[in-house]
Amino acid sequence: MVMLAFTMTFSLIVMSACTFNGEHPARSFSEATGGEGMERVFWKNVQARNWVEIERALASNYEGVTPAETLDRAATLEQYRRWQLQEFALGDLNTEQNGTTIVVTYTITLKGTTSNASGGSQPLPSTPQHMMTVWQQQKAGWIAIAHAVSPQ
């Protein structure tokens, strides 16, 4: 009887600890455990203008597609460097893993500005956009090899 009471008390303590602590979002790519975590960390790095981490996250042969153009790695980095991302919200996340590849689809809503060639700025698109990122696991960790954007 004492053993049963001890077991029940211990179980309640362990379960309540999980409830109190909750999940902690990944703060870096090394802490991300799946496609959703990698996307959230990537966009947090864009927001924080953490270029070292963003460059590490993009493969040397990275390709991106937008409604207006196709971007290689250098053009993508140049585009993000012009952004002043204040806020972002991800929704409708779907992650599919096939071996060492993860495909993440989602919508994103951005708040911020982008600078243009004449030194002015314009707002980032504020309507939700459809996104797809292909992540591949390599020796150094997960890196993005492709990304596509389309208006909603």
Side-chain angles (χ1 to χ4, degrees):
M1 184 65 113
V2 172
M3 187 62 157
L4 179 61
F6 174 77
T7 303
M8 290 178 64
T9 303
F10 181 75
S11 297
L12 288 173
I13 290 171
V14 169
M15 286 190 289
S16 65
C18 294
T19 305
F20 291 133
N21 292 330
E23 290 186 35
H24 299 288
R27 293 172 301 217
S28 66
F29 286 109
S30 63
E31 292 179 2
T33 58
E36 179 178 349
M38 289 184 289
E39 288 297 329
R40 291 189 187 282
V41 168
F42 181 83
W43 288 106
K44 285 178 185 177
N45 280 321
V46 171
Q47 183 180 25
R49 304 178 62 78
N50 188 347
W51 305 125
V52 171
E53 288 301 311
I54 294 168
E55 288 179 16
R56 282 186 193 151
L58 300 181
S60 61
N61 62 343
Y62 172 91
E63 289 292 325
V65 177
T66 72
E69 61 191 332
T70 300
L71 303 169
D72 64 8
R73 182 180 190 272
T76 298
L77 290 167
E78 181 182 324
Q79 179 186 58
Y80 288 144
R81 283 189 174 101
R82 291 192 313 259
W83 288 15
Q84 296 290 325
L85 182 59
Q86 297 166 350
E87 295 176 26
F88 67 92
L90 304 182
D92 302 323
L93 277 133
N94 185 34
T95 300
E96 294 292 331
Q97 184 167 359
N98 184 356
T100 60
T101 304
I102 296 177
V103 177
V104 185
T105 58
Y106 57 98
T107 58
I108 191 167
T109 305
L110 304 170
K111 181 181 177 187
T113 59
T114 183
S115 58
N116 54 35
S118 63
S121 65
Q122 61 188 35
L124 291 170
S126 59
T127 57
Q129 300 174 73
H130 293 289
M131 300 272 187
M132 180 186 72
T133 307
V134 180
W135 294 90
Q136 186 177 69
Q137 189 174 30
Q138 298 186 354
K139 290 178 185 176
W142 289 93
I143 61 168
I145 61 171
H147 184 76
V149 181
S150 67
Q152 191 166 13

